[in-house]
């Protein structure tokens, strides 16, 4: 069982072997395994480089004792250690490898455990740097260790190769670029963390070269440990992290500001009341028919429906009791007595909504509602799914579709403009930009911020009119006003 306080997942020897075999073939003279546990990496390195001087650092004495079979182990906390100064190497300086698997734990998890196993944050410039990058004090301990290693080994050529969360590797690249650390190249190979560590995170084998050459803050990414060739390059461009540098090079002229405002779907935190199934009319989850005024019922599609294109039939309804979050829902007593009774009969679920956003608001209020909610045509995309799929959605029997809050949308009054927006968003240009900016291992890879960066105007100007017209017509057969709609995007300033 891993020990939480120490972020303790020992690397299986078979995995350590596979990872070490991807390293550049060099005659390592010095090898350090920080936080070495039982010393699996020291052991594997010894199989091929028995001459290399091997040093480990480990805080738990039993582990340190076990690891000492494979080299010299210092029983200490890495946080109390200056790696450049405090290790007394006996070998002459030469190719140096830092290798291992730092603890998998965040600073705030340690706070919960009331653990002292973390850096003295307030006093370290490094930790403040991490705060500045991550924007929170919930940084990963591994991230801190990476930056400590990169800073303390910056004065000599060193290869640092460690397992870490993919998110940590990205933050390390960004930090290195911002601090001008002497990184000359890196690579990132995905590891199946579920298989090897039974951990539900995206992890990788991240290898960074430190040295005097030309700085390079990009990493070749390989889909698996064994892959012979990289598929993409991630890295820092103009001070920002980019998920696919080559796609970004092709599409950066479309990275700007969307001329239209993206919106999030509706948030209500009371699906048992606000969401109804279509089954010969709207019904609750328990199957009871619900009779409320039609004007407040809208066809509902969830992000998975949008992703899977299950948009042909209405299978759910959403009750939308407001046309703006600020509306007073008490007025429904007069304007919609049946809805008012339904909401009051089911008030318990609505009254117990925990999020503070509902405090000091109308009793039955919802969020993500405004004039755009009632626009008849929409482009929708799921924020949760790992492949970007834009959909054009029109009204159902005259009623506009509404979406859950994991969906993003652009609202339109007319089908031609919506169809052209669809054509622009599904163009190769937009596709490249989304691929460049979205990190598919994030929980919500597509965000409003990302969508807002797609400059539809620039795409409309650069893309061949015929192909836009063709794709727009495939989304909606309204030939007459398509050209006007294309000009609407081209001319918008
Ligand atoms: C993810 S395990 C990896 C162990 C080993 N490197 C391997 O790959 O099998 C992390 C190790 O870091 C050790 N550790 C945690 N905090 C430490 C600290 N402050 N200083 C040194 N070692 C620490 C834990 O005891 C644990 O053995």
């Amino acid at each position: 069982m891993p020990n939480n306080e120490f972020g303790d997942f020992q690397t299986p020897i078979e995995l350590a072997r596979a990872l070490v075999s991807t390293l550049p073939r060099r005659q390592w003279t010095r090898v350090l395994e920080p936080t070495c546990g039982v010393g699996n990496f020291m052991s594997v390195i010894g199989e091929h480089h028995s001459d290399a001087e091997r040093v480990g650092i480990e805080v738990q004495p039993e582990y340190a004792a076990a690891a000492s079979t494979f080299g010299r182990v210092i029983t200490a906390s890495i946080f109390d250690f200056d790696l450049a100064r405090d290790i007394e190497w006996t070998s002459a300086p030469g190719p140096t490898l830092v290798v291992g698997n730092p603890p998998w734990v965040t600073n705030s998890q340690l706070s919960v455990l009331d653990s002292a196993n973390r850096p003295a944050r307030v006093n370290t410039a490094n930790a403040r740097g991490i705060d500045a990058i991550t924007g929170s004090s919930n940084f990963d301990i591994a991230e801190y260790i990476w930056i400590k290693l990169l800073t303390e080994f910056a004065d000599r050529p060193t290869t640092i190769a460690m397992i870490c969360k993919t998110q940590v590797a990205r933050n390390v690249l960004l930090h290195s670029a911002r601090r001008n650390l002497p990184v000359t190249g890196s690579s990132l190979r995905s590891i199946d963390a579920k298989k090897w560590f039974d951990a539900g995170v995206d992890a990788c084998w991240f290898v960074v070269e430190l040295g005097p050459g030309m700085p390079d803050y990009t990493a070749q990414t390989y889909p698996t440990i064994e892959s012979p060739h990289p598929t993409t390059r991630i890295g820092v461009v103009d001070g920002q992290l980019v998920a696919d540098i080559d796609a970004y090079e092709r599409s950066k002229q479309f990275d700007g500001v969307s001329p239209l405002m993206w919106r999030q779907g509706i948030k209500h935190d009371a699906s048992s009341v606000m969401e109804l199934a279509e089954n010969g009319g709207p019904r609750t989850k328990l199957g009871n028919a619900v009779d409320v005024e039609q004007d407040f019922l809208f066809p509902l599609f969830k992000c998975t429906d949008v992703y899977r294109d299950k948009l042909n039939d209405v299978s759910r309804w959403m009750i939308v009791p407001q046309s703006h979050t600020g509306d007073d829902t008490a007025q429904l007593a007069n304007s919609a007595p049946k809805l008012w009774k339904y909401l009051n009969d089911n008030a318990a679920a609505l009254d117990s909504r925990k999020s503070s956003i509902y405090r000091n608001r109308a009793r039955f209020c919802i969020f993500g509602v405004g004039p755009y909610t009632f626009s008849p045509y929409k482009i929708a995309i799921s924020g949760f799914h790992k492949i970007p799929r834009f959909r054009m959605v029109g009204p159902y029997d005259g009623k506009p579709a509404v979406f859950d809050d994991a969906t993003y949308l652009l609202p339109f009054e007319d089908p031609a403009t919506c169809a052209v927006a669809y054509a622009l968003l599904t163009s190769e240009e937009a596709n490249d930009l989304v691929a460049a900016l979205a990190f598919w291992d994030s929980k919500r890879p597509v965000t409003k911020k990302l969508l807002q960066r797609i400059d539809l105007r620039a795409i409309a100007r650069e893309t061949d009119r015929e192909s836009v017209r063709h794709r727009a017509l495939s989304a909606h057969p309204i030939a007459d006003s398509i050209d006007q709609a294309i000009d609407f995007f081209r001319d918008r300033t």
Side-chain angles (χ1 to χ4, degrees):
M1 229 354 235
N3 175 332
N4 284 340
E5 178 186 7
F6 294 111
D8 183 349
F9 290 83
Q10 303 294 314
T11 310
I13 199 88
E14 204 187 324
L15 174 62
R17 275 198 191 105
L19 295 173
V20 166
S21 73
T22 69
L23 291 175
R25 311 235 171 270
R26 274 186 212 137
Q27 243 8 68
W28 308 110
T29 55
R30 296 174 171 185
V31 177
L32 170 70
E33 183 174 358
T35 71
C36 67
V38 297
N40 286 325
F41 280 99
M42 292 167 78
S43 150
V44 169
I45 293 287
E47 293 170 3
H48 298 284
H49 304 270
S50 51
D51 295 345
E53 181 181 3
R54 283 166 281 161
V55 174
I57 302 170
E58 170 58 49
V59 73
Q60 301 192 69
E62 323 78 75
Y63 281 165
S68 59
T69 323
F70 311 112
R72 179 159 55 95
V73 178
I74 303 164
T75 310
S77 169
I78 190 165
F79 304 131
D80 304 334
F81 223 77
D82 181 325
L83 295 149
R85 209 187 46 209
D86 297 343
I87 301 175
E88 286 166 15
W89 297 97
T90 54
S91 54
T96 302
L97 173 66
V98 177
V99 67
N101 181 0
W104 299 35
V105 63
T106 61
N107 194 40
S108 66
Q109 282 164 337
L110 289 177
S111 307
V112 173
L113 294 169
D114 199 18
S115 167
N117 186 28
R118 48 189 162 153
R121 290 185 46 240
V122 189
N123 302 324
T124 15
N126 271 346
R128 273 203 299 275
I130 298 171
D131 266 10
I133 288 172
T134 60
S136 81
S137 54
N138 188 18
F139 62 82
D140 214 282
I141 292 297
E143 200 168 316
Y144 178 88
I145 293 176
W146 262 105
I147 290 166
K148 182 175 168 65
L149 290 164
L150 288 167
T151 314
E152 292 173 6
F153 282 94
D155 61 348
R156 70 200 93 164
T158 304
T159 302
I160 307 182
M162 300 199 293
I163 299 175
C164 61
K165 291 185 198 159
T166 312
Q167 173 76 51
V168 167
R170 287 202 293 265
N171 289 349
V172 166
L173 274 179
L174 186 59
H175 182 90
S176 304
R178 292 198 173 154
R179 293 283 185 98
N180 296 320
L181 292 176
V183 170
T184 56
S186 46
S187 66
L188 191 156
R189 288 169 190 270
S190 296
I191 292 180
D192 185 345
K194 188 84 203 134
K195 169 178 163 192
W196 293 106
F197 299 103
D198 198 20
V201 294
D202 267 283
C204 68
W205 174 238
F206 186 38
V207 181
V208 177
E209 299 286 351
L210 274 174
M214 184 69 172
D216 178 354
Y217 304 109
T218 65
Q220 303 279 1
T221 64
Y222 296 77
T224 66
I225 301 170
E226 299 81 17
S227 315
H229 305 294
T231 43
T232 50
R233 253 180 341 137
I234 76 160
V236 182
V237 179
D238 299 335
Q240 294 208 60
L241 263 178
V242 167
D244 181 338
I245 291 183
D246 303 304
Y248 192 70
E249 292 299 332
R250 292 193 297 271
S251 61
K252 64 181 172 208
Q253 73 264 40
F254 311 115
D255 182 9
V257 179
S258 167
L260 304 173
M261 170 88 98
W262 283 91
R263 305 285 182 172
Q264 202 165 346
I266 294 177
K267 178 175 172 64
H268 48 60
D269 289 299
S271 56
S272 62
V273 184
M274 303 308 240
E275 295 181 6
L276 304 171
E278 166 55 40
N279 185 359
R283 289 179 187 270
T284 61
K285 291 214 169 70
L286 297 174
N288 301 322
V290 174
D291 179 21
V292 297
E293 287 78 2
Q294 281 295 318
D295 287 356
F296 298 86
L297 276 183
F298 293 87
L300 163 65
F301 297 96
K302 301 211 175 193
C303 66
T304 306
D305 302 324
V306 172
Y307 176 70
R308 301 212 173 122
D309 204 11
K310 292 200 161 165
L311 302 164
N312 285 338
D313 302 305
V314 178
S315 63
R316 291 192 194 87
W317 299 96
M318 189 193 282
I319 291 178
V320 182
Q322 296 174 302
S323 48
H324 191 274
T325 303
D327 292 351
D328 181 5
T329 50
Q331 68 197 12
L332 296 169
N334 291 324
S335 58
K338 290 196 278 189
L339 175 61
W340 178 245
K341 178 170 180 338
Y342 172 80
L343 291 173
N344 277 282
D345 288 350
N346 294 282
L350 290 156
D351 290 342
S352 62
R353 295 184 290 181
K354 294 216 171 54
S355 169
S356 60
I357 60 172
Y358 297 104
R359 241 172 264 153
N360 304 321
R361 291 276 176 179
R363 189 174 178 196
F364 304 134
C365 92
I366 58 178
F367 283 84
V369 63
Y372 51 89
T373 307
F374 308 100
S375 297
Y377 293 91
K378 288 169 180 128
I379 303 283
I381 183 170
S382 164
F384 275 156
H385 291 86
K386 302 205 178 288
I387 303 172
R389 296 267 187 253
F390 293 97
R391 310 287 182 201
M392 174 170 171
V393 188
Y396 296 80
D397 280 338
K399 274 180 182 269
V402 299
F403 299 89
D404 65 4
D405 65 339
T407 306
Y408 296 97
L409 53 103
L410 277 181
F412 296 90
E413 294 309 313
D414 73 292
T417 318
C418 187
V420 170
Y422 172 84
L424 299 173
L425 286 164
T426 52
S427 65
E428 222 169 284
E429 291 82 353
N431 211 21
D432 274 340
L433 185 62
V434 174
L437 301 181
F439 289 99
W440 300 109
D441 58 296
S442 318
K443 200 162 164 239
R444 205 183 266 247
V446 174
T447 59
K448 182 168 154 165
K449 196 168 150 204
L450 183 160
L451 294 164
Q452 207 59 43
R453 280 171 72 171
I454 307 175
D455 186 349
L456 296 173
R457 211 172 15 190
I459 297 177
R461 285 182 193 146
E462 289 298 315
T463 315
D464 165 58
R465 182 182 278 269
E466 245 341 281
S467 70
V468 175
R469 186 190 287 126
H470 183 76
R471 264 201 314 282
L473 286 173
S474 74
H476 199 92
I478 18 87
D480 48 343
S481 30
I482 288 283
D483 276 307
Q484 228 177 312
I486 296 176
D487 291 334
F488 164 82
F489 283 101
R490 288 195 167 180
D491 300 343
R492 250 185 111 99
T493 45

